[in-house]
């Protein structure tokens, strides 16, 4: 695997696939963390006299109306401020303007191409890794660097497609993520905290993660499917009905590793909030956080751990008081001497916005990608094993 350091960038057209998929509302960037995470690689390319061609996706593009709210124009303005340097925005993903602009670049110039997913309007060309599109984009540059960690578990034209036709390597962000998320030499006991709401997306991971972890503490929306599988009613809580049988199988297979909540903070249909033991949730109540007893229980496992990996908030942290469990776990982690890693879009914004950024050894910029790495899978956007490298 090559990194950007392995190439002579001088006077070369260097295409860098970055992740500028920032949260936006009404054309305003709500959080520019992802832009900041790319700066190191971009600055390195500028310092090494490259012609820097940046590509990224933003949101999902299914209809032409989606284009209006998902242009990268604003991102180019923010990037220019952060770099303290002109960034030329090219408002198209193919065509003469794009080609001419790139051919007229000088070393140290920076351009940003419009949202790669605009090409999804052409029969999903970007997301289905259309061969012709990847080849076309590759024809615009001399070297390809992938630094978009959060999409590196996907095979798209702008990451995997291009790399087939150019000498390719990874940037500093992906390099850092790969190092931080390598569990091969992780100190034990290794404890995973799994929460959040994407139950069907993540439940399958347990089978693989259980092989690596000593303890799996399950909280958040994820927990209720497991609680139901253990024969306890969960009222109106988040439930992945299709996976109850699978959850039951996991509970039996990994009974020594999986730890479930023993109490729950609920809200009923009238908005009343109540904490109860896990077998006392009423039919009109929705469990939205772990309770104090569960926090104490989880604490016992965490205190012993030497590596702690956290994906998925253990409660609906966006709304008080359901942020309490997530906050209290952060407070516990603060005083534990272990390698502490948080991953996942919402998990990262939860721990950062609740003020616990410094508690963690590493906060991953990727959700799905970080989980796949932790499972020991190879990411299609990272593995470059071809001969022209
Ligand atoms: P990540 O983005 O870190 O991978 P997810 O997207 O899986 O995490 O989950 C984050 C969401 O889970 C948050 O919006 C949070 O409000 C929600 N959540 C956490 N606990 C619960 C719960 N008990 N019921 C419903 N939603 C929950
Ligand atoms: Mg999420």
């Amino acid at each position: 695997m090559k990194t950007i350091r392995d190439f002579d960038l001088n006077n070369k057209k260097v295409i860098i696939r970055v992740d500028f998929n920032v949260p936006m509302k009404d054309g305003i960037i709500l959080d520019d963390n992802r832009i900041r995470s790319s700066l190191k690689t971009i600055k390195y390319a500028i310092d090494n006299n490259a012609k820097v061609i940046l590509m990224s996706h933003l949101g999902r593009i299914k209809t032409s109306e989606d284009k209006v709210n998902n242009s990268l124009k604003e991102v180019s303005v923010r990037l220019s401020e952060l770099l303290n340097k002109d960034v030329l925005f090219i408002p198209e993903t193919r065509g003469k303007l794009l080609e001419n602009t790139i051919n007229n670049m000088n070393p140290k110039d920076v351009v940003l191409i419009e949202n790669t997913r605009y090409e999804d309007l052409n029969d999903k060309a970007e997301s289905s890794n259309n061969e012709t599109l990847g080849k076309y984009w590759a024809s615009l540059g001399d070297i390809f660097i992938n630094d978009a960690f959060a999409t590196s578990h996907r095979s798209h034209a702008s990451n995997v497609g291009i790399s087939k036709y150019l000498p390719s390597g990874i940037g500093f962000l992906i390099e850092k993520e790969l190092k931080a998320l390598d569990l091969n030499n992780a100190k034990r006991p290794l404890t995973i905290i799994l929460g959040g709401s994407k139950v069907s997306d993540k439940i399958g991971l347990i089978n693989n993660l259980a092989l690596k972890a000593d303890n799996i503490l399950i909280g958040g929306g994820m927990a209720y499917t497991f609680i139901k599988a253990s024969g306890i009613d969960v009222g109106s809580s988040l439930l992945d009905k299709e996976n109850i049988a699978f959850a039951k199988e996991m509970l039996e297979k990994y009974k020594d590793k999986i730890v479930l909540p023993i109490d729950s903070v609920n809200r009923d249909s009238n908005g009343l909030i109540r904490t109860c033991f896990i077998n006392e949730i009423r039919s009109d109540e929705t469990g939205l956080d772990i309770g104090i007893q569960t926090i104490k229980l989880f604490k016992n496992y965490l205190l012993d751990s030497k590596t702690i990996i956290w994906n998925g908030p253990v409660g609906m942290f966006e709304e008080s008081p359901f942020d309490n469990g997530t906050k209290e776990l952060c407070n516990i982690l603060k005083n534990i001497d272990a390698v502490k890693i948080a991953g996942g879009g919402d998990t990262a914004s939860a721990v950062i916005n609740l003020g616990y950024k410094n508690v963690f050894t590493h906060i991953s910029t990727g959700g799905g990608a970080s989980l796949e790495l932790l499972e020991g899978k190879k990411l299609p956007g990272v593995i470059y094993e071809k001969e022209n490298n």
Side-chain angles (χ1 to χ4, degrees):
M1 182 173 35
K2 291 199 170 181
T3 78
I4 190 168
R5 284 188 222 87
D6 297 318
F7 296 92
D8 175 11
L9 307 182
N10 184 26
N11 207 15
K12 297 273 173 34
K13 289 180 279 184
V14 180
I15 301 177
I16 308 179
R17 172 59 161 103
V18 285
D19 179 8
F20 286 165
N21 185 31
V22 290
M24 303 249 291
K25 194 157 188 254
D26 304 327
I28 291 168
I29 298 167
L30 300 178
D31 177 353
D32 64 5
N33 262 317
R34 283 193 158 154
I35 307 178
R36 290 175 188 273
S37 309
S38 309
L39 292 177
K40 188 171 174 195
T41 300
I42 298 170
K43 282 182 180 159
Y44 178 90
I46 298 169
D47 290 345
N48 283 277
N49 230 22
K51 301 170 181 174
V52 182
I53 304 160
L54 301 173
M55 299 181 79
S56 174
H57 75 285
L58 177 63
R60 292 206 171 126
I61 308 289
K62 290 184 178 148
T63 64
S64 47
E65 288 89 77
D66 291 338
K67 288 166 93 173
V68 183
N69 293 318
N70 290 290
S71 167
L72 282 170
K73 175 88 176 87
E74 271 314 303
V75 172
S76 72
V77 175
R78 186 79 195 102
L79 176 65
S80 170
E81 288 165 8
L82 291 169
L83 286 173
N84 196 15
K85 182 175 181 22
D86 279 342
V87 173
L88 184 64
F89 177 68
I90 307 176
E92 59 185 34
T93 46
R94 64 167 89 204
K96 278 280 159 283
L97 173 69
L98 172 64
E99 291 156 25
N100 291 339
T101 308
I102 288 174
N103 287 331
N104 288 325
M105 285 174 80
N106 292 312
K108 297 188 191 291
D109 281 354
V110 180
V111 302
L112 172 63
I113 298 179
E114 183 57 282
N115 186 355
T116 54
R117 287 199 184 158
Y118 277 25
E119 291 289 340
D120 277 348
L121 294 178
N122 305 322
D123 203 18
K124 294 211 160 175
E126 155 74 329
S127 298
S128 67
N129 190 10
N130 176 286
E131 189 83 21
T132 316
L133 182 61
K135 200 171 173 179
Y136 169 69
W137 279 337
S139 74
L140 302 170
D142 303 314
I143 292 168
F144 176 65
I145 298 297
N146 186 18
D147 211 21
F149 177 69
T151 35
S152 59
H153 59 315
R154 308 265 185 239
S155 282
H156 292 174
S158 65
N159 60 354
V160 173
I162 298 184
S163 77
K164 283 167 83 181
Y165 296 100
L166 283 178
S168 302
I170 56 170
F172 295 114
L173 176 63
I174 290 194
E175 186 182 41
K176 182 171 135 204
E177 295 272 8
L178 290 180
K179 213 167 158 193
L181 298 169
D182 179 1
L183 292 187
N184 283 326
N185 301 312
K187 283 200 191 144
R188 291 182 175 273
L190 193 168
T191 297
I192 294 178
I193 307 170
L194 204 58
S197 59
K198 283 185 275 180
V199 181
S200 56
D201 276 13
K202 292 181 186 172
I203 198 165
L205 300 170
I206 293 188
N207 215 356
N208 290 334
L209 290 178
L211 300 172
K212 312 239 167 206
D214 298 294
N215 312 298
I216 303 182
L217 315 179
I218 302 182
M222 181 71 96
Y224 298 92
T225 301
F226 283 86
I227 291 161
K228 180 79 183 170
S230 71
I232 294 171
D233 273 340
V234 295
S236 309
S237 308
L238 194 68
L239 194 60
D240 179 4
K241 288 206 182 81
E242 282 171 17
N243 277 309
I244 295 174
F246 178 75
K248 196 168 177 191
E249 194 188 316
M250 290 300 104
L251 285 176
E252 277 159 19
K253 195 166 167 191
Y254 300 115
K255 54 177 175 295
D256 300 337
K257 294 188 176 184
I258 295 179
V259 182
L260 295 180
I262 51 174
D263 61 354
S264 171
V265 184
N266 319 314
R267 183 163 59 194
D268 72 12
S269 47
N270 294 317
L272 284 178
I273 296 168
R274 182 181 81 104
T275 305
C276 69
F277 285 111
I278 207 69
N279 57 354
E280 295 172 345
I281 304 177
R282 296 177 193 142
S283 61
D284 73 329
E285 283 183 320
T286 307
L288 293 172
D289 196 11
I290 55 173
I292 293 171
Q293 301 302 328
T294 305
I295 295 169
K296 277 192 198 153
L297 174 69
F298 284 7
K299 185 178 181 180
N300 288 334
Y301 289 93
L302 294 169
L303 285 177
D304 276 347
S305 304
K306 286 284 164 248
T307 305
I308 298 165
I309 291 159
W310 187 352
N311 180 284
V314 292
M316 199 175 69
F317 72 93
E318 297 93 338
E319 211 184 308
S320 178
F322 308 111
D323 56 353
N324 186 58
T326 301
K327 270 192 193 161
E328 286 305 318
L329 290 189
C330 285
N331 281 326
I332 292 165
L333 292 189
K334 194 164 33 176
N335 299 312
I336 295 176
D337 179 23
V339 173
K340 293 166 274 188
I341 297 167
D346 290 291
T347 313
S349 73
V351 302
I352 292 170
N353 295 334
L354 295 172
Y356 295 94
K357 187 175 179 199
N358 295 332
V359 168
F360 293 87
T361 319
H362 179 71
I363 299 179
S364 176
T365 54
S370 65
L371 285 169
E372 291 197 11
L373 264 189
L374 293 169
E375 283 182 83
K377 288 188 183 161
K378 300 210 155 171
L379 304 178
V382 172
I383 316 302
Y384 301 108
E385 287 162 341
K386 31 177 238 283
E387 282 162 15
N388 68 347
N389 269 349

